[in-house]
Structures are given as structure tokens and as C-alpha cells.
Amino acid sequence: QQQVKQSPQSLIVQKGGISIINCAYENTAFDYFPWYQQFPGKGPALLIAIRPDVSEKKEGRFTISFNKSAKQFSLHIMDSQPGDSATYFCAAGFQKLVFGTGTRLLVSP
Amino acid sequence: GAVVSQHPSWVICKSGTSVKIECRSLDFQATTMFWYRQFPKKSLMLMATSNEGSKATYEQGVEKDKFLINHASLTLSTLTVTSAHPEDSSFYICSAYSGTSGRNGEQFFGPGTRLTVL
């Protein structure tokens, strides 16, 4: 009940394209769903987060779509740029978070 | 705002020695701090949760006598890796949480500490 499944494991997108990463959780009591971006040798940085009372949240080029009934949420990166190349982690939980396995995104110039 | 620092950023030590890693919330008071371990190209693995002034809660499989955690104030938590061995080499990351920090009380992560045990 504590797993968060993330896919794909890796993703290559052309510059200007849309990057989509998906996550699925099991515990219906989770009430906080953040996405983190991590560059090599650095700590994760919060990108965007959503609570289950809304179905979508947009901040700049980043959008979270949330489907409570399906227990799934996804990150969309619009107009992907080479600087977006990083590892992305979804997470779910309350105060304590369960992390997904990560997606390595490469945006080709 | 919501800055978390870690010190040192990297450390190399000999097998059998102990290493202390500090985690500080610089501009907010963290009621709870979390310690994670991350292996290369892997996800973050929660090691323990520490609340200010109380004993840390360790995740299953984490040796509490090897990884000593102290959360003496609302802005400082320390992780001490005791009698370190090469298998303890890893990237250690802390995060700080406050019910009033950030936009929704989210967790903010430190930059991590790379530990290499020779």
C-alpha cells in the first residue's frame, strides 16, 4: 500500500516537445503529491505539487494532472528545453513521502 | 525562502571512523526533518524521521545504532554514521518540513552530502 510506481524509466524528447511522466499510488489516504527535479550530485528541488481536491495545477511550463479515482497523477513539461534534462521523481504521502523510482529525462537540442 | 543546507557537501573517511552530517533549515523552523539515502541512479530511500526534542523514528531495516540522528533544535538535525564501512558510502540527503513553511507545508531538501568510506 506504500508503493508509488513511476514510468517511464527514461525519456528522450526533442526541444520544444512535451514531456510526460506518470505515477500511480496505492494508498488512498495520501493527500500530497509533489514532483521533484534532481540534477546529478544535487538534492531534489520541488517543482510543483498538488492536493487531491483539485484535478490539475499549472505553474509556468509545468502541469500536474491528478486522477483521484484512478489513483494516478502525471507531470507534463511543455516546451521542453535542454536545461530540463534531469531526473524527475514523483512522490506521495502526508508529511512523510514515498518516492517513485525516477525518470531520467533527456531533452535533445 | 525555505532554504536547507547540509554540511559537509562531501566527505572521505577511513573505515571504522565516524562521520557527522549537519542539516540546517536557514529561514524557517523545521518541526520535522527527514534523512534519506540515495544510491547512484536510484530513488531516495527514507532512513528516518526526526522531530525536534524527541527520538528519531527509523524505517525498517535501518540500523539505529549505526545511523545516529539528533534533532536538538528547530533548525538543526545531525546524522552520525558510526564506525563507517565502505558499504555506507552513499549520497545522504536531508529534508525539512514545517506546517507553515513554503506554500503548502511541503518538504524542502538539502543539497546532499556525498560520503565515501575507504
Side-chain angles (χ1 to χ4, degrees), chain A residues 1 3 14 18 25 29 32 36 58 80-82 84 89 109:
Chain A
Q1 272 228 320
Q3 276 194 320
Q14 284 197 331
I18 302 173
Y25 63 99
Y32 180 60
Y36 290 90
K58 183 176 180 179
S80 298
Q81 298 297 312
D84 296 331
F89 292 97

Side-chain angles (χ1 to χ4, degrees), chain A residues 10 12 17 34 41 45 54 72 81-82 84-85:
Chain A
S10 62
I12 300 175
V54 296
Q72 294 175 347
Q81 298 297 312
D84 296 331
S85 298

Side-chain angles (χ1 to χ4, degrees), chain A residues 32 38 43-44 51 95-96 100, chain B residues 32 38 43 59 104 106-107:
Chain A
Y32 180 60
Q38 186 179 32
R51 302 273 180 189
Q95 187 186 108
K96 192 165 85 168
Chain B
T32 303
Q38 187 177 35
S43 188
E59 295 299 303
N104 291 301
E106 54 263 333
Q107 247 179 77

Side-chain angles (χ1 to χ4, degrees), chain B residues 8-107:
Chain B
S9 55
W10 58 270
V11 56
I12 301 173
C13 69
K14 291 183 178 180
S15 186
T17 61
S18 294
V19 174
K20 181 184 282 188
I21 302 170
E22 291 187 350
C23 176
R24 292 181 185 272
S25 56
L26 298 184
D27 50 3
F28 67 101
Q29 293 185 326
T31 53
T32 303
M33 288 184 171
F34 301 91
W35 286 95
Y36 295 83
R37 185 174 181 176
Q38 187 177 35
F39 291 105
K41 299 183 181 180
K42 297 294 184 182
S43 188
L44 284 77
M45 182 189 79
L46 179 65
M47 299 173 66
T49 303
S50 76
N51 293 295
E52 185 263 342
S54 61
K55 288 185 178 180
T57 303
Y58 291 82
E59 295 299 303
Q60 192 173 10
V62 178
E63 298 176 62
K64 61 179 68 176
D65 294 331
K66 165 162 276 298
F67 300 101
L68 300 179
I69 291 172
N70 183 277
H71 193 160
S73 76
L74 286 173
T75 59
L76 173 64
S77 177
T78 60
L79 167 68
T80 301
V81 183
T82 63
S83 186
H85 291 282
E87 58 266 29
D88 299 323
S89 298
S90 192
F91 193 49
Y92 292 89
I93 310 171
C94 72
S95 71
Y97 170 87
S98 164
T100 57
S101 68
R103 291 159 288 181
N104 291 301
E106 54 263 333
Q107 247 179 77

Side-chain angles (χ1 to χ4, degrees), chain A residues 3 7 10 14 32-33 35-36 39 46 55-56 65 88 109:
Chain A
Q3 276 194 320
S7 63
S10 62
Q14 284 197 331
Y32 180 60
F33 303 89
W35 284 90
Y36 290 90
F39 293 102
L46 178 67
S55 60
E56 186 174 281
S65 296
Y88 293 81

Side-chain angles (χ1 to χ4, degrees), chain A:
Chain A
Q1 272 228 320
Q2 292 294 98
Q3 276 194 320
V4 176
K5 295 180 180 178
Q6 183 172 346
S7 63
Q9 188 175 0
S10 62
L11 182 61
I12 300 175
V13 172
Q14 284 197 331
K15 180 181 175 182
I18 302 173
S19 305
I20 301 174
I21 306 171
N22 301 297
C23 281
Y25 63 99
E26 299 174 345
N27 190 332
T28 55
F30 286 159
D31 69 350
Y32 180 60
F33 303 89
W35 284 90
Y36 290 90
Q37 178 189 57
Q38 186 179 32
F39 293 102
K42 305 293 184 183
L46 178 67
L47 264 181
I48 186 171
I50 198 168
R51 302 273 180 189
D53 53 342
V54 296
S55 60
E56 186 174 281
K57 183 175 181 180
K58 183 176 180 179
E59 289 187 358
R61 297 186 294 112
F62 303 96
T63 300
I64 297 180
S65 296
F66 185 80
N67 186 328
K68 189 174 181 178
S69 60
K71 294 186 287 185
Q72 294 175 347
F73 59 111
S74 60
L75 174 69
H76 294 229
I77 305 174
M78 312 300 286
D79 187 27
S80 298
Q81 298 297 312
D84 296 331
S85 298
T87 300
Y88 293 81
F89 292 97
C90 65
F94 319 96
Q95 187 186 108
K96 192 165 85 168
L97 296 174
V98 179
F99 279 80
T101 50
T103 297
R104 300 183 74 188
L105 171 66
L106 176 63
V107 181
S108 58

